[in-house]
C-alpha cells in the first residue's frame, strides 16, 4: 500500500478522493471540488491518500503549525476493513508530523481533532461504512490518546452558509500523556486561523471563541 500526497485538484487521485469524501461525510463537512485548489497547493496543508491496487481506499488531511508546534487532523477516511488502514494512516501521519516538528527544532506538542459524539447525534452513518461508525471512531481516537476539551463546541459549516454545526467535540492528543489542560489563548488563537478560509462565521462560533478570552486554561477530559 502506498502513502501518497496530493497537491493538485488535477491529480487523478484527487477525483477519487473527493468522490470518496462525498460518500462518507455529510454535505456540510465537504468543501466544494473547485475550492480545494488553493488548500491543496498550500504547503502547510497535507493531504495524503492510501492507494491499494490503484484504488484510493483511505485518506487523511492534516496541518502542522510551527509557531504553536501543534497539528490539526482535518479528517481520516477508512473505506474498507481488513487492510489495517487505520494504523497505516495514523503511523504515517505521525511519522510525517514528527519530521516536520524536528525540522522546526522541536518535539511535536500534540494534535487537535474534531470528533463526532454519537451519544448526542446518531444520524451520521458515514456512507454505511462500518469501520467509520462514530462509536468505533471515537474509541479508536481515545486509544490513540485524544482527550476532549471541556468546551461547548460548535464549528462553522464547510458549506460557508453561516450555520453552526454541533454534535462534535474538539479534542487534543498531547504527545506527553501527563498534559491535562491547554492554555485558553492557544485555542482562541488557533480556531480563527484554522477557519480563516470560511468568511461566513455563525454567531454561536464567534461567541464561543470570545468566551475563551475569559479563561486561563481548558481542561482535557477523558474521551
Amino acid at each position: 500500500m502506498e502513502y501518497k500526497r496530493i497537491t493538485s485538484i488535477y491529480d487523478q487521485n484527487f477525483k477519487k478522493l473527493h468522490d470518496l469524501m462525498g460518500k462518507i461525510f455529510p454535505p456540510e463537512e465537504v468543501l466544494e471540488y473547485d475550492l480545494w485548489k488553493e488548500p491543496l497547493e498550500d504547503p502547510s496543508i497535507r493531504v495524503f491518500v492510501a492507494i491499494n491496487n490503484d484504488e484510493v481506499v483511505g485518506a487523511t488531511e492534516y496541518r502542522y503549525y510551527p509557531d504553536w508546534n501543534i497539528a490539526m487532523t482535518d479528517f481520516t477516511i477508512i473505506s474498507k476493513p481488513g487492510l489495517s488502514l487505520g494504523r497505516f494512516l495514523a503511523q504515517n501521519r505521525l511519522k510525517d508530523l514528527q519530521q516536520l516538528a524536528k525540522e522546526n527544532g522541536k518535539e511535536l506538542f500534540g494534535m487537535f481533532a474534531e470528533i463526532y459524539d454519537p451519544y448526542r447525534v446518531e444520524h451520521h452513518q458515514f456512507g454505511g461504512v462500518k469501520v467509520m461508525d462514530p462509536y468505533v471512531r471515537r474509541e479508536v481516537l481515545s486509544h490513540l490518546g485524544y482527550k476532549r476539551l471541556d468546551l461547548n463546541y460548535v464549528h462553522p459549516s464547510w458549506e460557508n452558509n453561516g450555520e453552526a454545526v454541533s454534535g462534535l467535540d474538539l479534542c487534543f492528543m498531547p504527545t506527553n500523556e501527563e498534559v491535562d489542560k491547554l492554555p485558553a489563548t492557544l485555542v482562541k488563537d488557533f480556531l480563527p486561523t484554522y477557519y480563516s478560509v470560511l468568511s461566513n462565521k455563525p454567531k454561536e462560533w464567534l461567541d464561543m471563541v470570545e468566551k475563551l478570552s475569559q479563561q486561563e486554561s481548558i481542561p482535557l477530559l477523558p474521551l
Side-chain angles (χ1 to χ4, degrees):
M1 193 146 51
E2 185 180 1
Y3 188 69
K4 182 178 179 182
R5 188 176 181 187
I6 295 179
T7 58
S8 169
I9 61 172
Y10 305 111
D11 186 322
Q12 62 178 355
N13 287 312
F14 179 67
K15 175 65 166 60
K16 299 176 185 178
L17 170 58
H18 200 264
D19 288 347
L20 187 59
M21 285 191 288
K23 294 176 183 177
I24 296 292
F25 296 125
E28 66 271 16
E29 295 296 319
V30 181
L31 197 63
E32 292 180 25
Y33 194 98
D34 291 342
L35 294 180
W36 277 92
K37 186 177 188 302
E38 288 188 15
L40 287 176
E41 294 172 355
D42 184 338
S44 70
I45 298 177
R46 308 179 75 78
V47 178
F48 283 83
V49 292
I51 301 175
N52 188 51
N53 295 326
D54 201 37
E55 180 184 4
V56 172
V57 292
T60 183
E61 176 185 327
Y62 50 97
R63 317 176 195 207
Y64 176 68
Y65 297 84
D67 290 347
W68 297 310
N69 188 34
I70 56 98
M72 172 71 171
T73 302
D74 296 333
F75 65 78
T76 300
I77 296 176
I78 300 170
S79 69
K80 292 184 176 181
L83 296 175
S84 293
L85 275 169
R87 180 173 176 79
F88 177 81
L89 292 170
Q91 291 289 93
N92 279 282
R93 178 176 61 210
L94 184 58
K95 187 185 303 183
D96 184 42
L97 286 168
Q98 287 174 333
Q99 179 60 34
L100 292 172
K102 182 178 179 181
E103 292 170 3
N104 192 31
K106 300 176 181 178
E107 291 186 12
L108 183 69
F109 177 60
M111 182 160 32
F112 284 106
E114 292 175 337
I115 301 174
Y116 281 101
D117 183 356
Y119 301 98
R120 285 185 287 157
V121 180
E122 297 184 358
H123 66 275
H124 292 308
Q125 298 301 315
F126 292 94
V129 179
K130 291 297 185 182
V131 288
M132 290 288 290
D133 183 285
Y135 292 96
V136 175
R137 296 176 73 224
R138 196 171 177 89
E139 287 305 311
V140 168
L141 290 170
S142 176
H143 275 70
L144 288 175
Y146 279 94
K147 302 176 183 180
R148 174 173 60 87
L149 273 71
D150 189 10
L151 178 67
N152 291 322
Y153 187 68
V154 296
H155 80 71
S157 168
W158 284 105
E159 292 181 298
N160 201 25
N161 56 13
E163 295 291 326
V165 179
S166 59
L168 299 99
D169 289 314
L170 181 62
C171 299
F172 189 76
M173 179 183 69
T175 303
N176 181 351
E177 294 184 3
E178 294 183 3
V179 171
D180 60 2
K181 61 184 177 181
L182 294 179
T185 53
L186 170 62
V187 184
K188 183 180 183 297
D189 293 342
F190 168 72
L191 289 175
T193 300
Y194 181 67
Y195 281 109
S196 60
V197 69
L198 298 177
S199 58
N200 199 2
K201 306 289 198 311
K203 182 178 184 302
E204 297 93 327
W205 183 86
L206 294 171
D207 289 345
M208 178 192 72
V209 173
E210 181 58 31
K211 286 180 181 178
L212 293 172
S213 303
Q214 304 167 17
Q215 297 178 244
E216 290 188 6
S217 61
I218 303 174
L220 295 174
L221 305 177
L223 185 59

